[in-house]
CSV table of all heavy atoms in Angstrom, one decimal:
chain,number,residue,atom,x,y,z
A,22,MET,N,0.8,-1.2,0.0
A,22,MET,CA,0.0,0.0,0.0
A,22,MET,C,0.8,1.3,0.0
A,22,MET,O,0.5,2.2,-0.7
A,22,MET,CB,-0.9,0.0,1.2
A,22,MET,CG,-2.2,-0.8,1.0
A,22,MET,SD,-2.9,-0.6,-0.5
A,22,MET,CE,-4.3,-1.5,-0.4
A,23,VAL,N,1.9,1.1,0.7
A,23,VAL,CA,2.8,2.3,0.8
A,23,VAL,C,3.4,2.6,-0.5
A,23,VAL,O,3.4,3.8,-1.1
A,23,VAL,CB,4.0,2.1,1.8
A,23,VAL,CG1,5.0,3.2,1.7
A,23,VAL,CG2,3.5,1.9,3.2
A,24,PHE,N,3.7,1.5,-1.4
A,24,PHE,CA,4.2,1.7,-2.7
A,24,PHE,C,3.3,2.5,-3.6
A,24,PHE,O,3.7,3.3,-4.3
A,24,PHE,CB,4.6,0.3,-3.2
A,24,PHE,CG,5.1,0.4,-4.6
A,24,PHE,CD1,6.4,0.7,-4.9
A,24,PHE,CD2,4.3,-0.1,-5.8
A,24,PHE,CE1,6.9,0.8,-6.2
A,24,PHE,CE2,4.9,-0.1,-6.8
A,24,PHE,CZ,6.1,0.4,-7.2
A,25,ILE,N,2.1,2.0,-3.4
A,25,ILE,CA,1.0,2.7,-4.3
A,25,ILE,C,0.8,4.3,-4.0
A,25,ILE,O,0.8,5.0,-4.8
A,25,ILE,CB,-0.2,2.0,-4.2
A,25,ILE,CG1,-0.2,0.6,-4.8
A,25,ILE,CG2,-1.5,2.7,-4.8
A,25,ILE,CD1,-1.5,-0.3,-4.5
A,26,THR,N,0.9,4.5,-2.7
A,26,THR,CA,0.8,5.7,-2.2
A,26,THR,C,1.9,6.6,-2.7
A,26,THR,O,1.7,7.8,-3.3
A,26,THR,CB,0.8,5.9,-0.6
A,26,THR,OG1,-0.1,5.1,-0.2
A,26,THR,CG2,0.6,7.3,-0.2
A,27,ASN,N,3.1,6.1,-2.7
A,27,ASN,CA,4.3,6.9,-3.2
A,27,ASN,C,4.2,7.1,-4.7
A,27,ASN,O,4.5,8.2,-5.1
A,27,ASN,CB,5.6,6.0,-3.1
A,27,ASN,CG,6.1,6.2,-1.6
A,27,ASN,OD1,5.7,7.1,-1.0
A,27,ASN,ND2,7.0,5.3,-1.2
A,28,GLN,N,3.7,6.1,-5.4
A,28,GLN,CA,3.6,6.3,-6.9
A,28,GLN,C,2.6,7.4,-7.2
A,28,GLN,O,2.7,8.3,-8.0
A,28,GLN,CB,3.0,5.0,-7.5
A,28,GLN,CG,3.6,4.7,-8.8
A,28,GLN,CD,3.2,3.4,-9.3
A,28,GLN,OE1,2.1,2.8,-8.9
A,28,GLN,NE2,3.9,2.8,-10.1
A,29,LYS,N,1.5,7.5,-6.5
A,29,LYS,CA,0.5,8.6,-6.6
A,29,LYS,C,1.1,10.0,-6.4
A,29,LYS,O,0.8,10.8,-7.1
A,29,LYS,CB,-0.7,8.3,-5.6
A,29,LYS,CG,-1.9,7.5,-6.4
A,29,LYS,CD,-3.0,7.5,-5.3
A,29,LYS,CE,-4.2,6.8,-5.9
A,29,LYS,NZ,-5.2,6.5,-4.9
A,30,ALA,N,1.8,10.0,-5.4
A,30,ALA,CA,2.4,11.2,-4.9
A,30,ALA,C,3.3,11.7,-6.0
A,30,ALA,O,3.4,12.9,-6.4
A,30,ALA,CB,3.3,11.1,-3.6
A,31,VAL,N,4.0,10.8,-6.7
A,31,VAL,CA,5.0,11.2,-7.8
A,31,VAL,C,4.2,11.8,-8.8
A,31,VAL,O,4.5,12.8,-9.4
A,31,VAL,CB,5.9,10.1,-8.1
A,31,VAL,CG1,6.7,10.4,-9.4
A,31,VAL,CG2,6.9,9.7,-7.0
A,32,LEU,N,3.2,11.1,-9.3
A,32,LEU,CA,2.4,11.4,-10.4
A,32,LEU,C,1.7,12.8,-10.2
A,32,LEU,O,1.7,13.7,-11.1
A,32,LEU,CB,1.3,10.3,-10.7
A,32,LEU,CG,1.7,9.1,-11.3
A,32,LEU,CD1,0.6,8.1,-11.4
A,32,LEU,CD2,2.2,9.5,-12.8
A,33,TYR,N,1.2,12.9,-9.0
A,33,TYR,CA,0.6,14.2,-8.6
A,33,TYR,C,1.6,15.5,-8.8
A,33,TYR,O,1.3,16.5,-9.3
A,33,TYR,CB,0.0,14.3,-7.2
A,33,TYR,CG,-0.7,15.5,-6.8
A,33,TYR,CD1,-1.8,15.8,-7.5
A,33,TYR,CD2,0.0,16.3,-5.9
A,33,TYR,CE1,-2.5,17.1,-7.2
A,33,TYR,CE2,-0.7,17.6,-5.7
A,33,TYR,CZ,-1.8,18.0,-6.3
A,33,TYR,OH,-2.4,19.2,-5.9
A,34,MET,N,2.7,15.2,-8.2
A,34,MET,CA,3.8,16.3,-8.2
A,34,MET,C,4.1,16.7,-9.7
A,34,MET,O,4.2,17.8,-10.1
A,34,MET,CB,4.9,15.9,-7.5
A,34,MET,CG,4.9,16.1,-6.1
A,34,MET,SD,6.4,15.3,-5.2
A,34,MET,CE,7.8,16.2,-5.9
A,35,GLY,N,4.1,15.6,-10.5
A,35,GLY,CA,4.7,15.8,-11.9
A,35,GLY,C,3.5,16.6,-12.7
A,35,GLY,O,3.8,17.6,-13.4
A,36,SER,N,2.3,16.5,-12.5
A,36,SER,CA,1.2,17.1,-13.1
A,36,SER,C,0.9,18.5,-12.6
A,36,SER,O,0.3,19.2,-13.2
A,36,SER,CB,-0.1,16.1,-13.1
A,36,SER,OG,-0.4,16.1,-11.8
A,37,ASP,N,1.4,18.7,-11.3
A,37,ASP,CA,1.1,20.0,-10.7
A,37,ASP,C,2.2,21.0,-11.1
A,37,ASP,O,1.9,22.2,-10.8
A,37,ASP,CB,1.0,19.7,-9.1
A,37,ASP,CG,0.3,20.9,-8.5
A,37,ASP,OD1,-0.7,21.3,-9.0
A,37,ASP,OD2,0.7,21.3,-7.5
A,38,GLU,N,3.2,20.6,-11.7
A,38,GLU,CA,4.3,21.4,-11.9
A,38,GLU,C,3.9,22.4,-13.1
A,38,GLU,O,3.2,22.2,-13.9
A,38,GLU,CB,5.5,20.7,-12.4
A,38,GLU,CG,6.8,21.4,-12.2
A,38,GLU,CD,7.9,20.5,-11.8
A,38,GLU,OE1,7.8,19.3,-12.1
A,38,GLU,OE2,8.8,21.1,-11.2
A,39,LYS,N,4.5,23.7,-12.8
A,39,LYS,CA,4.3,24.9,-13.8
A,39,LYS,C,5.6,25.2,-14.6
A,39,LYS,O,6.6,25.1,-13.8
A,39,LYS,CB,3.6,25.9,-13.1
A,39,LYS,CG,2.2,25.8,-13.0
A,39,LYS,CD,1.5,27.1,-12.6
A,39,LYS,CE,0.0,27.0,-12.5
A,39,LYS,NZ,-0.6,28.2,-12.0
A,40,CYS,N,5.5,25.6,-15.8
A,40,CYS,CA,6.7,26.0,-16.5
A,40,CYS,C,7.2,27.4,-15.9
A,40,CYS,O,6.5,28.3,-15.7
A,40,CYS,CB,6.3,26.0,-18.0
A,40,CYS,SG,7.7,26.8,-19.0
A,41,THR,N,8.5,27.3,-15.6
A,41,THR,CA,9.1,28.7,-15.2
A,41,THR,C,8.9,29.8,-16.1
A,41,THR,O,8.8,31.0,-15.8
A,41,THR,CB,10.5,28.5,-14.9
A,41,THR,OG1,10.7,27.3,-14.1
A,41,THR,CG2,11.1,29.7,-14.1
A,42,LEU,N,8.9,29.6,-17.4
A,42,LEU,CA,8.9,30.6,-18.5
A,42,LEU,C,7.4,31.0,-18.8
A,42,LEU,O,7.2,32.2,-18.7
A,42,LEU,CB,9.7,30.1,-19.8
A,42,LEU,CG,11.2,30.2,-19.6
A,42,LEU,CD1,11.8,30.1,-21.1
A,42,LEU,CD2,11.7,31.5,-19.1
A,43,CYS,N,6.7,30.2,-19.2
A,43,CYS,CA,5.2,30.5,-19.6
A,43,CYS,C,4.3,30.2,-18.6
A,43,CYS,O,3.1,30.6,-18.9
A,43,CYS,CB,5.1,29.8,-21.1
A,43,CYS,SG,4.7,28.0,-20.7
A,44,ASP,N,4.7,29.6,-17.5
A,44,ASP,CA,3.7,29.4,-16.4
A,44,ASP,C,2.6,28.5,-16.8
A,44,ASP,O,1.5,28.4,-16.3
A,44,ASP,CB,3.0,30.7,-15.9
A,44,ASP,CG,2.7,30.6,-14.5
A,44,ASP,OD1,3.4,29.9,-13.7
A,44,ASP,OD2,1.6,31.3,-14.1
A,45,GLY,N,2.9,27.8,-17.9
A,45,GLY,CA,1.9,26.7,-18.4
A,45,GLY,C,2.0,25.4,-17.6
A,45,GLY,O,3.1,25.1,-17.0
A,46,LYS,N,1.1,24.6,-17.8
A,46,LYS,CA,1.1,23.3,-17.2
A,46,LYS,C,2.2,22.4,-17.9
A,46,LYS,O,2.2,22.5,-19.1
A,46,LYS,CB,-0.4,22.6,-17.3
A,46,LYS,CG,-0.6,21.5,-16.2
A,46,LYS,CD,-1.9,21.1,-16.3
A,46,LYS,CE,-1.9,19.6,-15.8
A,46,LYS,NZ,-2.8,18.6,-16.6
A,47,ILE,N,2.9,21.7,-17.1
A,47,ILE,CA,3.9,20.9,-17.7
A,47,ILE,C,3.5,19.3,-17.8
A,47,ILE,O,3.0,18.8,-16.8
A,47,ILE,CB,5.2,20.9,-16.9
A,47,ILE,CG1,5.8,22.2,-17.0
A,47,ILE,CG2,6.3,19.8,-17.4
A,47,ILE,CD1,7.2,22.5,-16.2
A,48,ASP,N,3.4,18.7,-19.0
A,48,ASP,CA,3.2,17.4,-19.0
A,48,ASP,C,4.5,16.5,-18.8
A,48,ASP,O,4.5,15.6,-18.1
A,48,ASP,CB,2.7,17.0,-20.5
A,48,ASP,CG,1.3,17.6,-20.6
A,48,ASP,OD1,0.5,17.6,-19.7
A,48,ASP,OD2,1.1,18.1,-21.9
A,49,HIS,N,5.5,17.1,-19.3
A,49,HIS,CA,6.8,16.3,-19.1
A,49,HIS,C,7.8,17.4,-18.8
A,49,HIS,O,8.1,18.2,-19.6
A,49,HIS,CB,7.2,15.6,-20.4
A,49,HIS,CG,8.5,14.8,-20.3
A,49,HIS,ND1,8.5,13.5,-19.9
A,49,HIS,CD2,9.8,15.2,-20.2
A,49,HIS,CE1,9.8,13.1,-19.7
A,49,HIS,NE2,10.5,14.2,-19.9
A,50,PRO,N,8.3,17.6,-17.4
A,50,PRO,CA,9.2,18.7,-17.1
A,50,PRO,C,10.6,18.5,-17.6
A,50,PRO,O,11.1,17.3,-17.6
A,50,PRO,CB,9.2,18.5,-15.6
A,50,PRO,CG,8.8,17.1,-15.3
A,50,PRO,CD,7.9,16.7,-16.4
A,51,TYR,N,11.2,19.5,-18.1
A,51,TYR,CA,12.5,19.5,-18.7
A,51,TYR,C,13.4,20.5,-17.7
A,51,TYR,O,13.0,21.4,-17.3
A,51,TYR,CB,12.5,20.1,-20.0
A,51,TYR,CG,12.0,19.2,-21.2
A,51,TYR,CD1,10.7,19.1,-21.4
A,51,TYR,CD2,12.8,18.3,-21.7
A,51,TYR,CE1,10.1,18.4,-22.4
A,51,TYR,CE2,12.3,17.4,-22.7
A,51,TYR,CZ,11.0,17.4,-23.1
A,51,TYR,OH,10.3,16.6,-23.9
A,52,LEU,N,14.6,19.9,-17.4
A,52,LEU,CA,15.4,20.7,-16.6
A,52,LEU,C,16.1,21.7,-17.4
A,52,LEU,O,16.8,21.3,-18.4
A,52,LEU,CB,16.2,19.6,-15.8
A,52,LEU,CG,16.9,20.1,-14.4
A,52,LEU,CD1,15.7,20.3,-13.5
A,52,LEU,CD2,17.8,18.9,-14.0
A,53,ALA,N,16.1,22.9,-16.8
A,53,ALA,CA,16.9,24.0,-17.5
A,53,ALA,C,18.4,23.8,-17.4
A,53,ALA,O,18.8,23.3,-16.4
A,53,ALA,CB,16.5,25.3,-17.0
A,54,MET,N,19.1,24.1,-18.3
A,54,MET,CA,20.6,24.0,-18.3
A,54,MET,C,21.1,25.2,-17.5
A,54,MET,O,20.6,26.2,-17.4
A,54,MET,CB,21.2,24.0,-19.7
A,54,MET,CG,20.8,22.8,-20.5
A,54,MET,SD,21.9,22.6,-21.9
A,54,MET,CE,20.9,21.3,-22.7
A,55,LYS,N,22.3,24.7,-16.9
A,55,LYS,CA,22.9,25.7,-15.8
A,55,LYS,C,23.2,27.2,-16.5
A,55,LYS,O,22.8,28.1,-15.8
A,55,LYS,CB,24.2,25.1,-15.3
A,55,LYS,CG,24.2,24.9,-13.9
A,55,LYS,CD,25.6,24.5,-13.4
A,55,LYS,CE,25.9,23.1,-13.7
A,55,LYS,NZ,27.4,22.9,-13.4
A,56,GLU,N,23.6,27.3,-17.7
A,56,GLU,CA,24.0,28.4,-18.4
A,56,GLU,C,22.8,29.3,-18.7
A,56,GLU,O,22.9,30.4,-19.2
A,56,GLU,CB,24.9,28.2,-19.5
A,56,GLU,CG,24.3,27.2,-20.6
A,56,GLU,CD,24.8,25.9,-20.4
A,56,GLU,OE1,24.8,25.3,-19.3
A,56,GLU,OE2,25.3,25.3,-21.4
A,57,TRP,N,21.5,28.6,-18.7
A,57,TRP,CA,20.4,29.4,-19.0
A,57,TRP,C,20.0,30.3,-17.9
A,57,TRP,O,19.1,31.3,-18.1
A,57,TRP,CB,19.2,28.6,-19.4
A,57,TRP,CG,19.5,27.7,-20.5
A,57,TRP,CD1,20.7,27.8,-21.3
A,57,TRP,CD2,18.7,26.7,-21.0
A,57,TRP,NE1,20.5,26.8,-22.3
A,57,TRP,CE2,19.3,26.1,-22.2
A,57,TRP,CE3,17.4,26.1,-20.7
A,57,TRP,CZ2,18.7,25.0,-22.9
A,57,TRP,CZ3,17.0,25.1,-21.4
A,57,TRP,CH2,17.5,24.7,-22.6
A,58,ASP,N,20.5,30.0,-16.6
A,58,ASP,CA,20.2,31.0,-15.5
A,58,ASP,C,18.7,30.9,-15.2
A,58,ASP,O,18.1,31.9,-14.9
A,58,ASP,CB,20.6,32.3,-15.7
A,58,ASP,CG,20.8,33.1,-14.5
A,58,ASP,OD1,21.2,32.4,-13.5
A,58,ASP,OD2,20.9,34.2,-14.3
A,59,ILE,N,18.2,29.7,-15.3
A,59,ILE,CA,16.7,29.5,-15.0
A,59,ILE,C,16.6,28.6,-13.8
A,59,ILE,O,17.1,27.5,-13.8
A,59,ILE,CB,15.9,29.0,-16.2
A,59,ILE,CG1,15.9,30.1,-17.3
A,59,ILE,CG2,14.5,28.7,-15.9
A,59,ILE,CD1,15.3,29.5,-18.6
A,60,ASP,N,15.8,28.9,-12.9
A,60,ASP,CA,15.5,28.2,-11.7
A,60,ASP,C,14.2,27.4,-11.8
A,60,ASP,O,13.2,28.1,-11.8
A,60,ASP,CB,15.6,29.0,-10.4
A,60,ASP,CG,15.6,28.2,-9.2
A,60,ASP,OD1,16.0,27.0,-9.3
A,60,ASP,OD2,15.1,28.6,-8.3
A,61,GLY,N,14.1,26.1,-12.1
A,61,GLY,CA,12.9,25.5,-12.2
A,61,GLY,C,12.9,24.5,-13.4
A,61,GLY,O,13.9,24.3,-14.1
A,62,HIS,N,11.6,24.1,-13.7
A,62,HIS,CA,11.4,23.3,-14.8
A,62,HIS,C,10.8,24.0,-16.1
A,62,HIS,O,10.0,25.0,-15.7
A,62,HIS,CB,10.7,22.1,-14.5
A,62,HIS,CG,11.4,21.1,-13.5
A,62,HIS,ND1,11.0,20.8,-12.4
A,62,HIS,CD2,12.5,20.4,-13.8
A,62,HIS,CE1,11.8,20.0,-11.7
A,62,HIS,NE2,12.8,19.8,-12.6
A,63,LEU,N,11.1,23.5,-17.1
A,63,LEU,CA,10.5,24.0,-18.4
A,63,LEU,C,9.6,23.0,-19.0
A,63,LEU,O,9.7,21.8,-18.9
A,63,LEU,CB,11.6,24.5,-19.3
A,63,LEU,CG,12.7,25.4,-18.9
A,63,LEU,CD1,13.6,25.7,-20.1
A,63,LEU,CD2,12.1,26.7,-18.5
A,64,CYS,N,8.5,23.6,-19.8
A,64,CYS,CA,7.7,22.6,-20.6
A,64,CYS,C,8.5,22.4,-21.9
A,64,CYS,O,9.5,23.2,-22.2
A,64,CYS,CB,6.4,23.4,-20.9
A,64,CYS,SG,6.5,24.8,-22.0
A,65,GLY,N,8.0,21.4,-22.6
A,65,GLY,CA,8.8,20.9,-23.9
A,65,GLY,C,8.9,22.1,-24.9
A,65,GLY,O,9.9,22.3,-25.5
A,66,LYS,N,8.0,23.0,-24.9
A,66,LYS,CA,7.8,24.0,-25.8
A,66,LYS,C,9.0,25.1,-25.5
A,66,LYS,O,9.7,25.5,-26.4
A,66,LYS,CB,6.5,24.8,-25.9
A,66,LYS,CG,5.9,25.2,-27.3
A,66,LYS,CD,4.6,25.5,-27.2
A,66,LYS,CE,4.2,26.6,-28.3
A,66,LYS,NZ,2.9,26.9,-28.2
A,67,CYS,N,9.0,25.5,-24.4
A,67,CYS,CA,10.0,26.5,-23.9
A,67,CYS,C,11.4,25.9,-23.9
A,67,CYS,O,12.4,26.7,-24.2
A,67,CYS,CB,9.7,27.0,-22.4
A,67,CYS,SG,8.1,28.1,-22.4
A,68,TYR,N,11.5,24.7,-23.6
A,68,TYR,CA,12.7,24.0,-23.7
A,68,TYR,C,13.3,24.0,-25.1
A,68,TYR,O,14.4,24.4,-25.3
A,68,TYR,CB,12.7,22.6,-23.1
A,68,TYR,CG,14.0,21.9,-22.9
A,68,TYR,CD1,14.9,22.1,-21.9
A,68,TYR,CD2,14.3,21.0,-23.8
A,68,TYR,CE1,16.0,21.6,-21.7
A,68,TYR,CE2,15.5,20.2,-23.7
A,68,TYR,CZ,16.4,20.6,-22.7
A,68,TYR,OH,17.6,19.8,-22.5
A,69,SER,N,12.5,23.6,-26.0
A,69,SER,CA,13.0,23.6,-27.4
A,69,SER,C,13.3,25.1,-27.8
A,69,SER,O,14.3,25.3,-28.5
A,69,SER,CB,11.9,23.1,-28.3
A,69,SER,OG,11.5,21.9,-28.0
A,70,LYS,N,12.6,26.0,-27.4
A,70,LYS,CA,12.9,27.5,-27.8
A,70,LYS,C,14.2,28.0,-27.2
A,70,LYS,O,15.0,28.5,-27.9
A,70,LYS,CB,11.7,28.3,-27.1
A,70,LYS,CG,11.3,29.4,-28.1
A,70,LYS,CD,10.1,30.2,-27.6
A,70,LYS,CE,10.5,31.5,-27.1
A,70,LYS,NZ,9.4,32.1,-26.5
A,71,LYS,N,14.5,27.6,-26.0
A,71,LYS,CA,15.6,28.0,-25.3
A,71,LYS,C,16.9,27.2,-26.0
A,71,LYS,O,17.9,27.8,-26.2
A,71,LYS,CB,15.5,27.5,-23.8
A,71,LYS,CG,14.9,28.6,-23.0
A,71,LYS,CD,15.9,29.7,-22.7
A,71,LYS,CE,15.1,31.0,-22.3
A,71,LYS,NZ,16.0,32.2,-22.3
A,72,LEU,N,16.7,26.1,-26.3
A,72,LEU,CA,17.7,25.3,-27.0
A,72,LEU,C,18.2,26.1,-28.2
A,72,LEU,O,19.2,26.2,-28.5
A,72,LEU,CB,17.2,23.9,-27.2
A,72,LEU,CG,17.5,22.7,-26.3
A,72,LEU,CD1,17.0,21.5,-26.8
A,72,LEU,CD2,19.0,22.7,-25.8
A,73,SER,N,17.2,26.4,-29.1
A,73,SER,CA,17.4,27.0,-30.4
A,73,SER,C,18.0,28.5,-30.1
A,73,SER,O,18.7,28.9,-31.0
A,73,SER,CB,16.3,27.0,-31.3
A,73,SER,OG,15.2,27.7,-30.5
A,74,GLU,N,17.6,29.0,-29.0
A,74,GLU,CA,18.2,30.4,-28.8
A,74,GLU,C,19.7,30.3,-28.4
A,74,GLU,O,20.5,31.1,-28.8
A,74,GLU,CB,17.5,31.0,-27.6
A,74,GLU,CG,16.2,31.9,-27.9
A,74,GLU,CD,15.5,32.3,-26.7
A,74,GLU,OE1,16.1,32.6,-25.7
A,74,GLU,OE2,14.2,32.4,-26.8
A,75,PHE,N,20.0,29.4,-27.5
A,75,PHE,CA,21.3,29.2,-27.0
A,75,PHE,C,22.3,28.5,-27.9
A,75,PHE,O,23.5,28.7,-28.0
A,75,PHE,CB,21.3,28.4,-25.7
A,75,PHE,CG,21.1,29.5,-24.6
A,75,PHE,CD1,19.8,30.0,-24.2
A,75,PHE,CD2,22.2,30.1,-23.8
A,75,PHE,CE1,19.7,30.9,-23.2
A,75,PHE,CE2,21.9,30.9,-22.7
A,75,PHE,CZ,20.7,31.3,-22.5
A,76,TYR,N,21.7,27.4,-28.7
A,76,TYR,CA,22.6,26.8,-29.6
A,76,TYR,C,22.0,26.8,-30.9
A,76,TYR,O,21.6,25.7,-31.5
A,76,TYR,CB,22.7,25.3,-29.0
A,76,TYR,CG,22.9,25.3,-27.6
A,76,TYR,CD1,21.9,24.9,-26.7
A,76,TYR,CD2,24.2,25.6,-27.0
A,76,TYR,CE1,22.2,25.0,-25.3
A,76,TYR,CE2,24.4,25.6,-25.7
A,76,TYR,CZ,23.4,25.2,-24.7
A,76,TYR,OH,23.7,25.2,-23.5
A,77,PRO,N,22.1,27.9,-31.7
A,77,PRO,CA,21.4,27.9,-33.0
A,77,PRO,C,22.2,27.2,-33.8
A,77,PRO,O,23.4,27.1,-33.8
A,77,PRO,CB,21.7,29.5,-33.3
A,77,PRO,CG,22.7,30.0,-32.5
A,77,PRO,CD,22.6,29.1,-31.2
A,78,GLY,N,21.5,26.4,-34.7
A,78,GLY,CA,22.1,25.5,-35.6
A,78,GLY,C,22.5,24.1,-35.2
A,78,GLY,O,22.6,23.2,-36.0
A,79,GLU,N,22.6,24.0,-33.9
A,79,GLU,CA,22.9,22.7,-33.5
A,79,GLU,C,21.8,21.7,-33.2
A,79,GLU,O,22.1,20.5,-33.0
A,79,GLU,CB,23.7,22.8,-32.0
A,79,GLU,CG,25.0,23.3,-32.2
A,79,GLU,CD,25.7,23.4,-30.7
A,79,GLU,OE1,25.5,22.5,-30.0
A,79,GLU,OE2,26.6,24.2,-30.6
A,80,HIS,N,20.7,22.2,-33.4
A,80,HIS,CA,19.6,21.3,-33.0
A,80,HIS,C,18.5,21.3,-34.1
A,80,HIS,O,17.3,21.3,-33.9
A,80,HIS,CB,18.9,21.8,-31.7
A,80,HIS,CG,19.7,21.5,-30.5
A,80,HIS,ND1,19.7,20.4,-29.7
A,80,HIS,CD2,20.7,22.1,-30.0
A,80,HIS,CE1,20.5,20.3,-28.8
A,80,HIS,NE2,21.2,21.5,-28.8
A,81,GLU,N,19.0,21.4,-35.3
A,81,GLU,CA,18.1,21.3,-36.4
A,81,GLU,C,17.3,20.0,-36.6
A,81,GLU,O,16.4,19.9,-37.1
A,81,GLU,CB,18.9,21.6,-37.7
A,81,GLU,CG,19.1,23.1,-37.9
A,81,GLU,CD,20.2,23.4,-38.9
A,81,GLU,OE1,20.4,22.5,-39.9
A,81,GLU,OE2,20.8,24.4,-38.9
A,82,ARG,N,18.0,19.0,-36.0
A,82,ARG,CA,17.4,17.7,-36.0
A,82,ARG,C,16.2,17.5,-35.1
A,82,ARG,O,15.4,16.6,-35.2
A,82,ARG,CB,18.4,16.6,-35.9
A,82,ARG,CG,19.0,16.6,-34.5
A,82,ARG,CD,20.2,15.8,-34.3
A,82,ARG,NE,21.3,16.5,-33.7
A,82,ARG,CZ,21.6,16.1,-32.4
A,82,ARG,NH1,21.0,15.3,-31.7
A,82,ARG,NH2,22.6,16.8,-31.9
A,83,VAL,N,16.2,18.4,-34.2
A,83,VAL,CA,14.9,18.5,-33.2
A,83,VAL,C,13.7,18.9,-34.1
A,83,VAL,O,13.8,19.8,-34.9
A,83,VAL,CB,15.1,19.4,-32.1
A,83,VAL,CG1,13.8,19.4,-31.3
A,83,VAL,CG2,16.3,19.0,-31.3
A,84,ASN,N,12.6,18.1,-34.0
A,84,ASN,CA,11.4,18.3,-34.8
A,84,ASN,C,10.6,19.3,-34.3
A,84,ASN,O,9.8,19.0,-33.2
A,84,ASN,CB,10.8,17.0,-35.0
A,84,ASN,CG,9.5,17.2,-35.9
A,84,ASN,OD1,9.6,18.1,-36.8
A,84,ASN,ND2,8.6,16.2,-35.9
A,85,LEU,N,10.7,20.6,-34.7
A,85,LEU,CA,9.8,21.7,-34.0
A,85,LEU,C,8.8,21.8,-35.1
A,85,LEU,O,8.9,22.2,-36.2
A,85,LEU,CB,10.7,22.9,-33.9
A,85,LEU,CG,11.8,23.0,-32.8
A,85,LEU,CD1,12.7,24.2,-33.0
A,85,LEU,CD2,11.3,22.8,-31.5
A,86,SER,N,7.6,21.9,-34.6
A,86,SER,CA,6.4,21.9,-35.5
A,86,SER,C,6.1,23.4,-35.8
A,86,SER,O,5.2,23.7,-36.7
A,86,SER,CB,5.1,21.2,-34.9
A,86,SER,OG,5.0,21.7,-33.6
A,87,GLU,N,6.6,24.4,-35.0
A,87,GLU,CA,6.2,25.8,-35.3
A,87,GLU,C,7.4,26.5,-35.8
A,87,GLU,O,8.6,26.4,-35.3
A,87,GLU,CB,5.8,26.3,-34.0
A,87,GLU,CG,4.6,25.6,-33.5
A,87,GLU,CD,4.0,26.2,-32.2
A,87,GLU,OE1,4.7,26.4,-31.2
A,87,GLU,OE2,2.9,26.8,-32.2
B,103,LIG,ZN1,6.7,26.9,-21.1
């Protein structure tokens, strides 16, 4: 029972998290890189944006739909 409770807690924490940049709900939290000077987690969209801002040209293989 303890195991199940722990699992629930983790799931809840994950879904309750907000993006540091856009304050949107995070489905899958991304950890900001040290050199970005951002404290907290990012949503996938902001993470991709930051990547392309900081490392232009290096991430062309990332599939950005916008
Ligand atoms: Zn965001």
Side-chain angles (χ1 to χ4, degrees):
M22 281 314 189
V23 173
F24 177 72
I25 293 171
T26 307
N27 279 345
Q28 219 175 21
K29 263 186 181 170
V31 168
L32 282 174
Y33 178 73
M34 271 170 66
S36 61
D37 198 38
E38 196 145 27
K39 281 190 174 177
C40 174
T41 308
L42 282 191
C43 70
D44 209 33
K46 202 175 155 227
I47 294 182
D48 290 323
H49 185 97
Y51 289 86
L52 206 56
M54 292 194 188
K55 244 189 280 172
E56 56 262 49
W57 297 356
D58 205 23
I59 293 172
D60 189 25
H62 288 117
L63 304 177
C64 69
K66 220 169 154 183
C67 293
Y68 185 78
S69 299
K70 219 172 112 184
K71 276 282 159 191
L72 271 183
S73 58
E74 271 176 30
F75 274 79
Y76 314 105
E79 279 185 35
H80 289 270
E81 280 166 23
R82 63 196 136 99
V83 174
N84 188 17
L85 296 172
S86 50
E87 307 183 293

